[in-house]
Amino acid sequence: MRQHDHGPVLPTPSGVTLLDSDDPTGPLASLAVDRLLTDDGPVWWADAGGHARTDTLARVAPSTGLLDRVRVARAFTATQHASLLGTLERRVSPEAALVVCPALDARYRDEDLPAEEPADLLGLAVDRLARIAGAGVPVLLTVAREDDLAAPVARAVDERVTHESTRFGPRFAGEGFETLVYPRRDGTVQTTLAFWRRVLERRAAAAGAARPGTGADVEQGPGVGVGGAH
């Protein structure tokens, strides 16, 4: 896990990083936008449970123009999800900034799948993400729950980062790492998305990125998956 050398500190995923969070959308959006600030490549987002939201990404992004480099694709079944990750493995180049895969195990828990198929399909999905990470593109993922089915995910993870909402504000923590917290001058704490917006605006200033703008939507990568961000 690399850390930024200046400005507000956020974890920078490397290899396969598992995010353990009590918030299913805000931290993922914040880390994705932070990669856009520090890397010129696109962020590929393989969505399985409605985590890719235009409103959340736009609320934390210092400039909505950054979101032109977000490629979102959705899967609604286990077979679609495994196929989508196969497509990503072929399409994602080493210049990509990040691959985001929230709720990696969610679609493989469908009750209509044969008994052995969920584990086999999820194992295939994990192998594909591991190969993407092995090619030098960081992968950030979450799981719906940790149990025997999700065990292959845990074995493939290079690092685990936790996020929690505390009375002092949102907090990321990993091995030897913890976010800085920026309370207001009156001692109160901003809402979660306002907090990440503030942190990312400081990161943008440090990176020389554009100031906040308006009007961009999350773009769906051509030929990848189905649907766009809502």
Side-chain angles (χ1 to χ4, degrees):
M1 178 66 64
R2 291 172 291 156
Q3 300 183 33
H4 301 304
D5 296 328
H6 51 261
V9 180
L10 289 177
T12 302
S14 58
V16 178
T17 299
L18 175 63
L19 176 64
D20 182 7
S21 176
D22 56 0
D23 176 352
T25 57
L28 284 170
S30 300
L31 292 178
V33 170
D34 193 52
R35 287 295 294 176
L36 293 171
L37 288 170
T38 57
D39 195 290
D40 292 332
V43 167
W44 295 83
W45 192 304
D47 202 64
H51 297 84
R53 295 182 56 90
T54 303
D55 55 350
T56 301
L57 286 161
R59 286 177 67 183
V60 301
S63 168
T64 53
L66 290 168
L67 303 185
D68 292 341
R69 289 191 282 126
V70 178
R71 309 288 187 261
V72 177
R74 301 183 188 278
F76 300 97
T77 69
T79 302
Q80 284 182 4
H81 193 264
S83 177
L84 169 59
L85 294 184
T87 302
L88 284 183
E89 185 181 359
R90 295 189 297 272
R91 288 180 60 90
V92 173
S93 70
E95 290 73 33
L98 182 68
V99 169
V100 182
C101 194
L104 175 59
D105 56 322
R107 296 303 180 201
Y108 305 91
R109 299 183 181 278
D110 293 343
E111 295 181 357
D112 59 348
L113 289 172
E116 301 300 323
E117 192 169 343
D120 292 343
L121 284 173
L122 181 56
L124 178 62
V126 170
D127 289 345
R128 285 170 169 166
L129 290 173
R131 287 194 291 269
I132 290 172
V137 179
V139 173
L140 177 65
L141 56 87
T142 67
V143 293
R145 63 178 183 265
E146 297 192 49
D147 56 11
D148 289 344
L149 178 62
V153 181
R155 289 194 293 269
V157 165
D158 297 305
E159 185 159 8
R160 179 186 294 260
V161 174
T162 60
H163 165 271
E164 61 180 334
S165 300
T166 75
R167 65 189 183 93
F168 299 108
R171 173 179 175 269
F172 280 122
E175 185 176 352
F177 172 83
E178 184 174 356
T179 48
L180 300 175
V181 175
Y182 297 91
R184 291 174 171 169
R185 292 183 179 180
D186 61 3
T188 62
V189 178
Q190 300 177 90
T191 62
T192 300
L193 291 180
F195 172 87
W196 295 128
R197 173 75 175 223
R198 183 179 177 190
V199 169
L200 290 165
E201 283 180 346
R202 295 190 182 193
R203 290 286 303 126
R211 302 305 298 170
T214 59
D217 290 327
V218 179
E219 178 181 349
Q220 178 190 341
V224 181
V226 292
H230 301 295

mmCIF file with all atom_site columns, all heavy atoms in Angstrom, residues 85-102:
data_model
loop_
_atom_site.group_PDB
_atom_site.id
_atom_site.type_symbol
_atom_site.label_atom_id
_atom_site.label_alt_id
_atom_site.label_comp_id
_atom_site.label_asym_id
_atom_site.label_entity_id
_atom_site.label_seq_id
_atom_site.pdbx_PDB_ins_code
_atom_site.Cartn_x
_atom_site.Cartn_y
_atom_site.Cartn_z
_atom_site.occupancy
_atom_site.B_iso_or_equiv
_atom_site.pdbx_formal_charge
_atom_site.auth_seq_id
_atom_site.auth_comp_id
_atom_site.auth_asym_id
_atom_site.auth_atom_id
_atom_site.pdbx_PDB_model_num
ATOM 1   N N   . LEU A 1 85  ? -15.698 -10.070 -16.418 1.00 0.00 ? 85  LEU A N   1
ATOM 2   C CA  . LEU A 1 85  ? -14.302 -10.003 -15.964 1.00 0.00 ? 85  LEU A CA  1
ATOM 3   C C   . LEU A 1 85  ? -13.360 -10.599 -17.010 1.00 0.00 ? 85  LEU A C   1
ATOM 4   O O   . LEU A 1 85  ? -12.209 -10.150 -17.135 1.00 0.00 ? 85  LEU A O   1
ATOM 5   C CB  . LEU A 1 85  ? -14.145 -10.710 -14.629 1.00 0.00 ? 85  LEU A CB  1
ATOM 6   C CG  . LEU A 1 85  ? -14.890 -10.042 -13.457 1.00 0.00 ? 85  LEU A CG  1
ATOM 7   C CD1 . LEU A 1 85  ? -14.588 -10.754 -12.152 1.00 0.00 ? 85  LEU A CD1 1
ATOM 8   C CD2 . LEU A 1 85  ? -14.538 -8.558  -13.339 1.00 0.00 ? 85  LEU A CD2 1
ATOM 9   N N   . GLY A 1 86  ? -13.839 -11.584 -17.762 1.00 0.00 ? 86  GLY A N   1
ATOM 10  C CA  . GLY A 1 86  ? -13.031 -12.084 -18.863 1.00 0.00 ? 86  GLY A CA  1
ATOM 11  C C   . GLY A 1 86  ? -12.820 -11.023 -19.928 1.00 0.00 ? 86  GLY A C   1
ATOM 12  O O   . GLY A 1 86  ? -11.727 -10.877 -20.481 1.00 0.00 ? 86  GLY A O   1
ATOM 13  N N   . THR A 1 87  ? -13.866 -10.255 -20.212 1.00 0.00 ? 87  THR A N   1
ATOM 14  C CA  . THR A 1 87  ? -13.748 -9.146  -21.166 1.00 0.00 ? 87  THR A CA  1
ATOM 15  C C   . THR A 1 87  ? -12.780 -8.089  -20.651 1.00 0.00 ? 87  THR A C   1
ATOM 16  O O   . THR A 1 87  ? -11.947 -7.569  -21.401 1.00 0.00 ? 87  THR A O   1
ATOM 17  C CB  . THR A 1 87  ? -15.128 -8.515  -21.428 1.00 0.00 ? 87  THR A CB  1
ATOM 18  O OG1 . THR A 1 87  ? -16.016 -9.510  -21.928 1.00 0.00 ? 87  THR A OG1 1
ATOM 19  C CG2 . THR A 1 87  ? -15.024 -7.376  -22.429 1.00 0.00 ? 87  THR A CG2 1
ATOM 20  N N   . LEU A 1 88  ? -12.882 -7.773  -19.359 1.00 0.00 ? 88  LEU A N   1
ATOM 21  C CA  . LEU A 1 88  ? -11.961 -6.791  -18.779 1.00 0.00 ? 88  LEU A CA  1
ATOM 22  C C   . LEU A 1 88  ? -10.520 -7.268  -18.870 1.00 0.00 ? 88  LEU A C   1
ATOM 23  O O   . LEU A 1 88  ? -9.611  -6.477  -19.169 1.00 0.00 ? 88  LEU A O   1
ATOM 24  C CB  . LEU A 1 88  ? -12.322 -6.526  -17.320 1.00 0.00 ? 88  LEU A CB  1
ATOM 25  C CG  . LEU A 1 88  ? -13.539 -5.646  -17.054 1.00 0.00 ? 88  LEU A CG  1
ATOM 26  C CD1 . LEU A 1 88  ? -13.701 -5.421  -15.557 1.00 0.00 ? 88  LEU A CD1 1
ATOM 27  C CD2 . LEU A 1 88  ? -13.421 -4.311  -17.772 1.00 0.00 ? 88  LEU A CD2 1
ATOM 28  N N   . GLU A 1 89  ? -10.301 -8.545  -18.613 1.00 0.00 ? 89  GLU A N   1
ATOM 29  C CA  . GLU A 1 89  ? -8.933  -9.064  -18.683 1.00 0.00 ? 89  GLU A CA  1
ATOM 30  C C   . GLU A 1 89  ? -8.333  -8.845  -20.069 1.00 0.00 ? 89  GLU A C   1
ATOM 31  O O   . GLU A 1 89  ? -7.142  -8.552  -20.205 1.00 0.00 ? 89  GLU A O   1
ATOM 32  C CB  . GLU A 1 89  ? -8.922  -10.549 -18.328 1.00 0.00 ? 89  GLU A CB  1
ATOM 33  C CG  . GLU A 1 89  ? -7.515  -11.124 -18.257 1.00 0.00 ? 89  GLU A CG  1
ATOM 34  C CD  . GLU A 1 89  ? -7.489  -12.614 -17.938 1.00 0.00 ? 89  GLU A CD  1
ATOM 35  O OE1 . GLU A 1 89  ? -8.576  -13.205 -17.754 1.00 0.00 ? 89  GLU A OE1 1
ATOM 36  O OE2 . GLU A 1 89  ? -6.383  -13.183 -17.900 1.00 0.00 ? 89  GLU A OE2 1
ATOM 37  N N   . ARG A 1 90  ? -9.166  -8.971  -21.092 1.00 0.00 ? 90  ARG A N   1
ATOM 38  C CA  . ARG A 1 90  ? -8.680  -8.765  -22.456 1.00 0.00 ? 90  ARG A CA  1
ATOM 39  C C   . ARG A 1 90  ? -8.530  -7.289  -22.806 1.00 0.00 ? 90  ARG A C   1
ATOM 40  O O   . ARG A 1 90  ? -7.653  -6.911  -23.587 1.00 0.00 ? 90  ARG A O   1
ATOM 41  C CB  . ARG A 1 90  ? -9.633  -9.428  -23.461 1.00 0.00 ? 90  ARG A CB  1
ATOM 42  C CG  . ARG A 1 90  ? -9.700  -10.942 -23.358 1.00 0.00 ? 90  ARG A CG  1
ATOM 43  C CD  . ARG A 1 90  ? -10.478 -11.548 -24.510 1.00 0.00 ? 90  ARG A CD  1
ATOM 44  N NE  . ARG A 1 90  ? -11.878 -11.131 -24.524 1.00 0.00 ? 90  ARG A NE  1
ATOM 45  C CZ  . ARG A 1 90  ? -12.846 -11.757 -23.870 1.00 0.00 ? 90  ARG A CZ  1
ATOM 46  N NH1 . ARG A 1 90  ? -12.565 -12.816 -23.118 1.00 0.00 ? 90  ARG A NH1 1
ATOM 47  N NH2 . ARG A 1 90  ? -14.096 -11.333 -23.938 1.00 0.00 ? 90  ARG A NH2 1
ATOM 48  N N   . ARG A 1 91  ? -9.383  -6.430  -22.249 1.00 0.00 ? 91  ARG A N   1
ATOM 49  C CA  . ARG A 1 91  ? -9.426  -5.028  -22.666 1.00 0.00 ? 91  ARG A CA  1
ATOM 50  C C   . ARG A 1 91  ? -8.554  -4.091  -21.831 1.00 0.00 ? 91  ARG A C   1
ATOM 51  O O   . ARG A 1 91  ? -8.080  -3.069  -22.333 1.00 0.00 ? 91  ARG A O   1
ATOM 52  C CB  . ARG A 1 91  ? -10.869 -4.514  -22.610 1.00 0.00 ? 91  ARG A CB  1
ATOM 53  C CG  . ARG A 1 91  ? -11.766 -5.075  -23.695 1.00 0.00 ? 91  ARG A CG  1
ATOM 54  C CD  . ARG A 1 91  ? -13.171 -4.514  -23.572 1.00 0.00 ? 91  ARG A CD  1
ATOM 55  N NE  . ARG A 1 91  ? -13.190 -3.062  -23.687 1.00 0.00 ? 91  ARG A NE  1
ATOM 56  C CZ  . ARG A 1 91  ? -13.329 -2.398  -24.837 1.00 0.00 ? 91  ARG A CZ  1
ATOM 57  N NH1 . ARG A 1 91  ? -13.451 -3.067  -25.965 1.00 0.00 ? 91  ARG A NH1 1
ATOM 58  N NH2 . ARG A 1 91  ? -13.350 -1.096  -24.863 1.00 0.00 ? 91  ARG A NH2 1
ATOM 59  N N   . VAL A 1 92  ? -8.366  -4.405  -20.566 1.00 0.00 ? 92  VAL A N   1
ATOM 60  C CA  . VAL A 1 92  ? -7.639  -3.489  -19.678 1.00 0.00 ? 92  VAL A CA  1
ATOM 61  C C   . VAL A 1 92  ? -6.153  -3.513  -20.020 1.00 0.00 ? 92  VAL A C   1
ATOM 62  O O   . VAL A 1 92  ? -5.519  -4.570  -20.008 1.00 0.00 ? 92  VAL A O   1
ATOM 63  C CB  . VAL A 1 92  ? -7.862  -3.865  -18.207 1.00 0.00 ? 92  VAL A CB  1
ATOM 64  C CG1 . VAL A 1 92  ? -6.964  -3.029  -17.300 1.00 0.00 ? 92  VAL A CG1 1
ATOM 65  C CG2 . VAL A 1 92  ? -9.320  -3.668  -17.825 1.00 0.00 ? 92  VAL A CG2 1
ATOM 66  N N   . SER A 1 93  ? -5.621  -2.347  -20.307 1.00 0.00 ? 93  SER A N   1
ATOM 67  C CA  . SER A 1 93  ? -4.202  -2.238  -20.647 1.00 0.00 ? 93  SER A CA  1
ATOM 68  C C   . SER A 1 93  ? -3.398  -1.886  -19.406 1.00 0.00 ? 93  SER A C   1
ATOM 69  O O   . SER A 1 93  ? -3.949  -1.443  -18.391 1.00 0.00 ? 93  SER A O   1
ATOM 70  C CB  . SER A 1 93  ? -4.003  -1.156  -21.705 1.00 0.00 ? 93  SER A CB  1
ATOM 71  O OG  . SER A 1 93  ? -4.235  0.134   -21.148 1.00 0.00 ? 93  SER A OG  1
ATOM 72  N N   . PRO A 1 94  ? -2.075  -2.069  -19.443 1.00 0.00 ? 94  PRO A N   1
ATOM 73  C CA  . PRO A 1 94  ? -1.237  -1.721  -18.294 1.00 0.00 ? 94  PRO A CA  1
ATOM 74  C C   . PRO A 1 94  ? -1.303  -0.246  -17.916 1.00 0.00 ? 94  PRO A C   1
ATOM 75  O O   . PRO A 1 94  ? -0.888  0.125   -16.807 1.00 0.00 ? 94  PRO A O   1
ATOM 76  C CB  . PRO A 1 94  ? 0.175   -2.109  -18.764 1.00 0.00 ? 94  PRO A CB  1
ATOM 77  C CG  . PRO A 1 94  ? -0.045  -3.159  -19.806 1.00 0.00 ? 94  PRO A CG  1
ATOM 78  C CD  . PRO A 1 94  ? -1.307  -2.744  -20.505 1.00 0.00 ? 94  PRO A CD  1
ATOM 79  N N   . GLU A 1 95  ? -1.813  0.597   -18.824 1.00 0.00 ? 95  GLU A N   1
ATOM 80  C CA  . GLU A 1 95  ? -1.913  2.030   -18.528 1.00 0.00 ? 95  GLU A CA  1
ATOM 81  C C   . GLU A 1 95  ? -3.144  2.366   -17.685 1.00 0.00 ? 95  GLU A C   1
ATOM 82  O O   . GLU A 1 95  ? -3.300  3.516   -17.245 1.00 0.00 ? 95  GLU A O   1
ATOM 83  C CB  . GLU A 1 95  ? -1.972  2.836   -19.823 1.00 0.00 ? 95  GLU A CB  1
ATOM 84  C CG  . GLU A 1 95  ? -0.663  2.867   -20.614 1.00 0.00 ? 95  GLU A CG  1
ATOM 85  C CD  . GLU A 1 95  ? -0.356  1.555   -21.290 1.00 0.00 ? 95  GLU A CD  1
ATOM 86  O OE1 . GLU A 1 95  ? -1.320  0.862   -21.694 1.00 0.00 ? 95  GLU A OE1 1
ATOM 87  O OE2 . GLU A 1 95  ? 0.838   1.205   -21.400 1.00 0.00 ? 95  GLU A OE2 1
ATOM 88  N N   . ALA A 1 96  ? -4.028  1.416   -17.429 1.00 0.00 ? 96  ALA A N   1
ATOM 89  C CA  . ALA A 1 96  ? -5.222  1.686   -16.626 1.00 0.00 ? 96  ALA A CA  1
ATOM 90  C C   . ALA A 1 96  ? -4.837  2.095   -15.212 1.00 0.00 ? 96  ALA A C   1
ATOM 91  O O   . ALA A 1 96  ? -3.844  1.620   -14.647 1.00 0.00 ? 96  ALA A O   1
ATOM 92  C CB  . ALA A 1 96  ? -6.114  0.451   -16.579 1.00 0.00 ? 96  ALA A CB  1
ATOM 93  N N   . ALA A 1 97  ? -5.641  2.983   -14.640 1.00 0.00 ? 97  ALA A N   1
ATOM 94  C CA  . ALA A 1 97  ? -5.359  3.473   -13.290 1.00 0.00 ? 97  ALA A CA  1
ATOM 95  C C   . ALA A 1 97  ? -5.824  2.500   -12.219 1.00 0.00 ? 97  ALA A C   1
ATOM 96  O O   . ALA A 1 97  ? -5.172  2.361   -11.172 1.00 0.00 ? 97  ALA A O   1
ATOM 97  C CB  . ALA A 1 97  ? -6.039  4.833   -13.080 1.00 0.00 ? 97  ALA A CB  1
ATOM 98  N N   . LEU A 1 98  ? -6.953  1.814   -12.470 1.00 0.00 ? 98  LEU A N   1
ATOM 99  C CA  . LEU A 1 98  ? -7.545  0.987   -11.413 1.00 0.00 ? 98  LEU A CA  1
ATOM 100 C C   . LEU A 1 98  ? -8.677  0.161   -12.010 1.00 0.00 ? 98  LEU A C   1
ATOM 101 O O   . LEU A 1 98  ? -9.348  0.598   -12.941 1.00 0.00 ? 98  LEU A O   1
ATOM 102 C CB  . LEU A 1 98  ? -8.102  1.890   -10.300 1.00 0.00 ? 98  LEU A CB  1
ATOM 103 C CG  . LEU A 1 98  ? -8.732  1.245   -9.070  1.00 0.00 ? 98  LEU A CG  1
ATOM 104 C CD1 . LEU A 1 98  ? -7.676  0.521   -8.230  1.00 0.00 ? 98  LEU A CD1 1
ATOM 105 C CD2 . LEU A 1 98  ? -9.454  2.286   -8.218  1.00 0.00 ? 98  LEU A CD2 1
ATOM 106 N N   . VAL A 1 99  ? -8.878  -1.025  -11.444 1.00 0.00 ? 99  VAL A N   1
ATOM 107 C CA  . VAL A 1 99  ? -10.084 -1.808  -11.681 1.00 0.00 ? 99  VAL A CA  1
ATOM 108 C C   . VAL A 1 99  ? -10.836 -1.908  -10.364 1.00 0.00 ? 99  VAL A C   1
ATOM 109 O O   . VAL A 1 99  ? -10.264 -2.303  -9.343  1.00 0.00 ? 99  VAL A O   1
ATOM 110 C CB  . VAL A 1 99  ? -9.764  -3.212  -12.228 1.00 0.00 ? 99  VAL A CB  1
ATOM 111 C CG1 . VAL A 1 99  ? -11.012 -4.099  -12.212 1.00 0.00 ? 99  VAL A CG1 1
ATOM 112 C CG2 . VAL A 1 99  ? -9.189  -3.126  -13.637 1.00 0.00 ? 99  VAL A CG2 1
ATOM 113 N N   . VAL A 1 100 ? -12.103 -1.515  -10.363 1.00 0.00 ? 100 VAL A N   1
ATOM 114 C CA  . VAL A 1 100 ? -12.939 -1.561  -9.167  1.00 0.00 ? 100 VAL A CA  1
ATOM 115 C C   . VAL A 1 100 ? -13.974 -2.670  -9.344  1.00 0.00 ? 100 VAL A C   1
ATOM 116 O O   . VAL A 1 100 ? -14.664 -2.714  -10.361 1.00 0.00 ? 100 VAL A O   1
ATOM 117 C CB  . VAL A 1 100 ? -13.655 -0.215  -8.926  1.00 0.00 ? 100 VAL A CB  1
ATOM 118 C CG1 . VAL A 1 100 ? -14.491 -0.270  -7.650  1.00 0.00 ? 100 VAL A CG1 1
ATOM 119 C CG2 . VAL A 1 100 ? -12.643 0.920   -8.859  1.00 0.00 ? 100 VAL A CG2 1
ATOM 120 N N   . CYS A 1 101 ? -14.075 -3.535  -8.351  1.00 0.00 ? 101 CYS A N   1
ATOM 121 C CA  . CYS A 1 101 ? -15.001 -4.665  -8.439  1.00 0.00 ? 101 CYS A CA  1
ATOM 122 C C   . CYS A 1 101 ? -15.716 -4.836  -7.098  1.00 0.00 ? 101 CYS A C   1
ATOM 123 O O   . CYS A 1 101 ? -15.317 -5.666  -6.272  1.00 0.00 ? 101 CYS A O   1
ATOM 124 C CB  . CYS A 1 101 ? -14.243 -5.922  -8.827  1.00 0.00 ? 101 CYS A CB  1
ATOM 125 S SG  . CYS A 1 101 ? -15.309 -7.278  -9.343  1.00 0.00 ? 101 CYS A SG  1
ATOM 126 N N   . PRO A 1 102 ? -16.762 -4.054  -6.868  1.00 0.00 ? 102 PRO A N   1
ATOM 127 C CA  . PRO A 1 102 ? -17.471 -4.149  -5.590  1.00 0.00 ? 102 PRO A CA  1
ATOM 128 C C   . PRO A 1 102 ? -18.345 -5.400  -5.507  1.00 0.00 ? 102 PRO A C   1
ATOM 129 O O   . PRO A 1 102 ? -18.818 -5.916  -6.523  1.00 0.00 ? 102 PRO A O   1
ATOM 130 C CB  . PRO A 1 102 ? -18.326 -2.876  -5.567  1.00 0.00 ? 102 PRO A CB  1
ATOM 131 C CG  . PRO A 1 102 ? -18.455 -2.469  -6.984  1.00 0.00 ? 102 PRO A CG  1
ATOM 132 C CD  . PRO A 1 102 ? -17.305 -3.015  -7.740  1.00 0.00 ? 102 PRO A CD  1
#
